[in-house]
Amino acid sequence: MHELIAERAVAVPDALAVVAGGEALSYGGLMGRANRLAHYLRSVGVGSESVVALCLPRGIDMIVAMVGVWQAGGAYLPLDPEYPVERLGFMLRDSRATVLVGTEDLVDELPVGRLRTVVVDDVMVSSVLAGLPSSAPDVRTRSGQLAYVVYTSGSTGRPKGVQVTHGGLVHYVVGVGERVGWGGVGGRFGLLQPVVTDLGNTVVFGCLVSGGVLHVVDADVAVDGRGVARYVRESGIDFVKVVPSHLAALVAGCGGEFGPLVPRRTLVLGGEGASAGWLRALVEAAEGRVVVNHYGPTETTVGVIAGELVEGSGGLADGVVGLGRPLGHARVYVLDGFLNPVPVGVVGELFVAGPQVARGYVGRAGLTGERFVADPFAGGGGRMYRTGDRVRRLVDGRLEFVGRADGQIKVRGYRIEPGEVEAALLGHALVASAVVTASGVGAERRLVAYVVPSDGETGIPAVGELRGFLGDRLPEYMVPSVFVELSELPLTANGKLDHAA
């Protein structure tokens, strides 16, 4: 991926690459800074398969660091400074990161232990970086080499790190660019998400490999409907990707209007589903600008299926929201419990095969073997990923999402395993048992925790105490909005938890 970006820098070195926080950086400047960091990282031992953690503010430094790690031959691990220290410490240990790149104020808060740190705003480090070559180190990257590790919620009570390869990422970026029509030197891409999840990778790398201009929208603007509309209009943004519930919240803050939030050329929706009625209103308001539905779990490298939403056909025919078609060389199967294809119209589990399938989970051989299974339809010994999503194939070839085969839920585009939140709750001395679920739709969707106290007379702790307790252990999006006290959890006749109660 970084080699494609470097090619752009050679072709158009003075062209604008990144705009963020009132700063701007050209392609030549981006690669020059990335290469200096790469030389520094090489000097402290970074090489092939080395994991380098990045804890940096939203903006140019983060983009430079991501490319710089690749130029050094390593793989990056993005860390959100807003996450609880305990969770960040787990990610550093679990990922086997060897180096941490960050700013002084952020690094000081982390449990780095013996981890080598590179504090980019330290005067001495800055001086050393300035004296290093702006040319690329002599490093060769293989297709199967690790590109990045990104963590998702885990059902066992701890997050799991997904390992994505360079080859998988290149296949994704090329495939999605061709499908949604992104590209062209000078195209303006608006990034509304932090890069600690892979949702924004569509925008970041789709922009940089095509010679576009990446606009990293300030965090406070990205959640303000009128602020985003103003930025899209004044900066002439062509391409945006957004989670439907995020867009719904922006629309509410923009007087209920979709139109001002739609970029000039293409809007991509990803991370979660949306109702056909809501999507029809969006497509109508887009007035000919392209709206794309994009599906895929992190384990298939950002996304693997995409299709344009057009009223009366394709993605919105007959009131059904179609997921689209596989990207590039990806293959999708709808299978039963015995891994046999199911007939058209019959619900089965969606499996994904092809070059975008991730390597697996860091240090979780058992879970990797469970979710990444042999592909019986490929002769070359390939693998396919068991998504856990239940779908049906329609007569016209479209795929329709039906639901989950397990308890995983999504809130505002984030994958959440209820078991991880429940495990954190059970860590409180006054909680005997707990069940977490989701309620509501779109921007109103939220987590609800049903809690049984250890002492029925004392009851559960105050909501503020529970939220604070969980906030020290989980990201904000995994902390329930509502806590309901129960004397006991409802059970079925055979003693299992009754989720329908």
Side-chain angles (χ1 to χ4, degrees), residues 34-110:
N35 286 334
R36 291 186 182 95
L37 177 60
H39 282 288
Y40 192 103
L41 293 174
R42 296 286 291 179
S43 74
V44 297
V46 172
S48 175
E49 298 293 316
S50 298
V51 175
V52 179
L54 304 179
C55 193
L56 293 159
R58 184 179 187 135
I60 287 177
D61 284 348
M62 187 63 159
I63 305 301
V64 167
M66 291 159 67
V67 179
V69 170
W70 286 343
Q71 290 291 91
Y76 72 84
L77 165 69
L79 300 178
D80 189 338
E82 299 298 320
Y83 280 9
V85 171
E86 181 178 313
R87 191 178 187 87
L88 294 175
F90 170 82
M91 293 163 65
L92 288 170
R93 295 188 302 273
D94 185 69
S95 66
R96 302 177 178 86
T98 58
V99 176
L100 168 65
V101 177
T103 53
E104 185 174 7
D105 60 328
L106 298 178
V107 169
D108 284 347
E109 299 296 321
L110 296 176

Side-chain angles (χ1 to χ4, degrees), residues 342-404:
V342 301
V344 171
V346 175
V347 174
E349 185 174 355
L350 182 63
F351 287 72
V352 177
Q356 286 184 217
V357 174
R359 182 185 292 179
Y361 302 113
V362 178
R364 308 281 289 276
L367 183 60
T368 296
E370 176 186 327
R371 306 302 299 183
F372 296 84
V373 299
D375 181 359
F377 310 103
R383 299 177 308 146
M384 56 184 185
Y385 174 68
R386 180 192 296 268
T387 68
D389 287 332
R390 300 172 67 243
V391 302
R392 65 165 60 91
R393 195 182 298 275
L394 304 178
V395 175
D396 59 6
R398 290 179 297 153
L399 291 171
E400 177 188 8
F401 177 78
V402 176
R404 287 290 299 174

Side-chain angles (χ1 to χ4, degrees), residues 58-313:
R58 184 179 187 135
I60 287 177
D61 284 348
M62 187 63 159
I63 305 301
V64 167
M66 291 159 67
V67 179
V69 170
W70 286 343
Q71 290 291 91
Y76 72 84
L77 165 69
L79 300 178
D80 189 338
E82 299 298 320
Y83 280 9
V85 171
E86 181 178 313
R87 191 178 187 87
L88 294 175
F90 170 82
M91 293 163 65
L92 288 170
R93 295 188 302 273
D94 185 69
S95 66
R96 302 177 178 86
T98 58
V99 176
L100 168 65
V101 177
T103 53
E104 185 174 7
D105 60 328
L106 298 178
V107 169
D108 284 347
E109 299 296 321
L110 296 176
V112 296
R114 297 182 179 179
L115 196 64
R116 182 66 181 261
T117 60
V118 179
V119 181
V120 293
D121 56 351
D122 177 84
V123 174
M124 291 186 64
V125 173
S126 298
S127 177
V128 172
L129 285 170
L132 292 173
S134 61
S135 56
D138 185 14
V139 175
R140 296 291 179 267
T141 302
R142 305 181 312 278
S143 175
Q145 195 168 312
L146 190 63
Y148 63 80
V149 178
V150 63
Y151 277 78
T152 66
S153 180
S155 58
T156 61
R158 59 190 179 108
K160 52 186 184 289
V162 182
Q163 300 170 303
V164 173
T165 66
H166 279 276
L169 184 59
V170 169
H171 274 281
Y172 168 71
V173 171
V174 172
V176 76
E178 293 174 346
R179 178 61 52 80
V180 307
W182 283 13
V185 174
R188 299 176 183 181
F189 293 69
L191 179 65
L192 302 181
Q193 306 83 16
V195 294
V196 293
T197 67
D198 64 342
L199 186 81
N201 287 354
T202 313
V203 174
V204 174
F205 303 123
C207 171
L208 296 179
V209 301
S210 66
V213 184
L214 178 65
H215 288 254
V216 183
V217 181
D218 290 344
D220 57 341
V221 175
V223 295
D224 174 33
R226 296 194 186 279
V228 171
R230 186 181 310 111
Y231 196 100
V232 167
R233 181 182 69 253
E234 294 180 355
S235 300
I237 299 299
D238 297 301
F239 310 107
V240 167
K241 181 182 181 184
V242 67
V243 175
S245 56
H246 183 182
L247 179 58
L250 295 176
V251 169
C254 200
E257 295 185 58
F258 285 101
L261 296 163
V262 180
R264 296 192 301 185
R265 291 175 57 183
T266 307
L267 174 67
V268 175
L269 303 173
E272 65 186 15
S275 71
W278 186 85
L279 291 171
R280 275 196 292 270
L282 169 59
V283 170
E284 182 178 350
E287 297 180 333
R289 289 166 288 182
V290 176
V291 179
V292 174
N293 193 25
H294 188 19
Y295 161 89
T298 296
E299 289 85 347
T300 62
T301 309
V302 187
V304 73
I305 296 172
E308 184 178 354
L309 295 174
V310 179
E311 176 60 38
S313 65

